[in-house]
Amino acid sequence: MGISCLLDEAICPQSTLGIARFKDNDGNPCKESKQVTLGDEEKGEYFKWLCVLVECINASLVPDHPGKWCHVDCFQVPRKYFAHMLNHLDIPILDSARDVKHRRQPIFKRNTRHLSYKVYNEESFRRLLEEQDDLQYKPAALFRNDEEVPDISEMGVGEALAFAKQRAKGKVARPTNRSLIEIGIGKGRRTREFELIWWPSLYSRSQYSKLTIRFFIRKISI
C-alpha cells in the first residue's frame, strides 16, 4: 500500500515548512511512532546504548572521514528507545513517510515503512545525546594532520592563557584542520538538519527496529 502526502496550513516552528499529514491510498492516516518516557529502571540500559551512539557520532569528526552527509546505522533498536528519543526532542515533526525497498543488511525487504523525522535545532540534538553523562557529545574538534589537539575555545580563562603562551613559544603544535557537525535550516536545498530515519516494520517478529541518524559534517583547513 502506497502513501501520499497532504500538506495543511500549519507552520513548522523549526523549519518554516508546512507540517505534513500523511495518508495511505485509502485515505487512512499514516500511523506515527508513539512518544513515551522510559521508566527509571529502563534508563540504565538505554543510557549505555546512547553512549555507544554518541561515540559513533563523535568518531565521524576524524580527518579520515570526508566532509559530507554521514549516516550512523543502529540495526537492533528497541522500539521503546526510539519512542523515548521522540519524547525527549522538543517538537519531533514527521517529515516524510514512504513504503520502500530495503536492499541491504541486516535484512532484505521488498516493501517496508520508512519514517523520517527532521530537526533543525542544534541544542535539541545536544540534549538528546547528553541525557547520558558517561560520554560527552563533541559537535566539533581540532586536528593537526590526523591527531586531535586541544581546542582553546573550550578552555577556561586561566587554562586558555597558559595554553596560548605555550603555543606562542612553539611548544604546542598548531591545528591544521577543523571538523564540525552543522545543524540548522541552511540555505535553499543545502539543508543542514539532523534526521532520524526509523524503519518500524523492518522486522516482523521483534520489538526491535532499525534507526539511522543522518547529519552533515563540515571539514575546514586552517
Side-chain angles (χ1 to χ4, degrees):
M1 181 179 293
I3 293 179
S4 59
C5 170
L6 300 178
L7 293 178
D8 65 16
E9 296 179 353
I11 299 299
C12 171
Q14 293 176 324
S15 62
T16 68
L17 298 176
I19 297 176
R21 306 297 185 189
F22 298 94
K23 296 182 179 181
D24 61 28
N25 290 339
D26 295 327
N28 299 315
C30 173
K31 186 177 180 180
E32 297 188 37
S33 297
K34 294 181 179 179
Q35 301 176 34
V36 300
T37 299
L38 292 174
D40 292 339
E41 69 282 357
E42 299 174 301
K43 287 185 177 179
E45 291 301 316
Y46 170 71
F47 289 160
K48 292 178 183 178
W49 173 84
L50 188 60
C51 183
V52 174
L53 178 60
V54 173
E55 184 175 10
C56 292
I57 293 173
N58 287 349
S60 64
L61 294 171
V62 297
D64 312 65
H65 198 292
K68 63 176 184 178
W69 285 102
C70 299
H71 298 75
V72 175
D73 289 320
C74 306
F75 294 118
Q76 293 186 340
V77 180
R79 294 176 183 175
K80 59 185 178 181
Y81 285 8
F82 183 67
H84 179 81
M85 294 175 78
L86 289 183
N87 190 63
H88 198 70
L89 291 169
D90 289 336
I91 309 174
I93 302 297
L94 180 59
D95 183 79
S96 68
R98 294 179 291 158
D99 288 333
V100 299
K101 295 179 180 179
H102 193 276
R103 298 179 174 177
R104 55 182 177 175
Q105 295 292 353
I107 190 171
F108 296 88
K109 296 290 284 286
R110 290 182 176 177
N111 191 43
T112 188
R113 185 62 50 88
H114 172 288
L115 302 179
S116 168
Y117 295 82
K118 293 182 179 180
V119 180
Y120 299 83
N121 188 312
E122 183 177 5
E123 186 58 30
S124 296
F125 190 50
R126 180 189 296 273
R127 286 200 306 269
L128 176 67
L129 298 180
E130 292 187 349
E131 188 181 3
Q132 56 79 37
D133 55 12
D134 288 333
L135 184 63
Q136 184 177 4
Y137 158 63
K138 293 195 302 183
L142 287 175
F143 296 87
R144 178 170 178 80
N145 299 323
D146 59 353
E147 182 178 351
E148 187 172 357
V149 296
D151 188 345
I152 194 171
S153 65
E154 300 293 330
M155 301 178 184
V157 176
E159 185 182 4
L161 287 173
F163 184 79
K165 290 179 181 179
Q166 293 294 316
R167 177 181 287 177
K169 295 177 181 179
K171 296 182 179 181
V172 178
R174 292 183 177 275
T176 58
N177 50 83
R178 178 180 178 87
S179 302
L180 65 151
I181 297 175
E182 285 192 341
I183 299 175
I185 295 177
K187 295 181 180 180
R189 294 186 177 182
R190 297 181 61 184
T191 58
R192 291 294 182 264
E193 72 278 358
F194 82 84
E195 182 179 15
L196 303 176
I197 302 172
W198 183 240
W199 306 78
S201 57
L202 191 60
Y203 310 118
S204 59
R205 300 178 182 274
S206 172
Q207 289 300 311
Y208 294 81
S209 291
K210 177 185 173 182
L211 172 65
T212 298
I213 308 290
R214 176 178 171 269
F215 52 93
F216 189 84
I217 293 287
R218 184 182 178 194
K219 301 296 176 77
I220 304 171
S221 297
I222 300 175

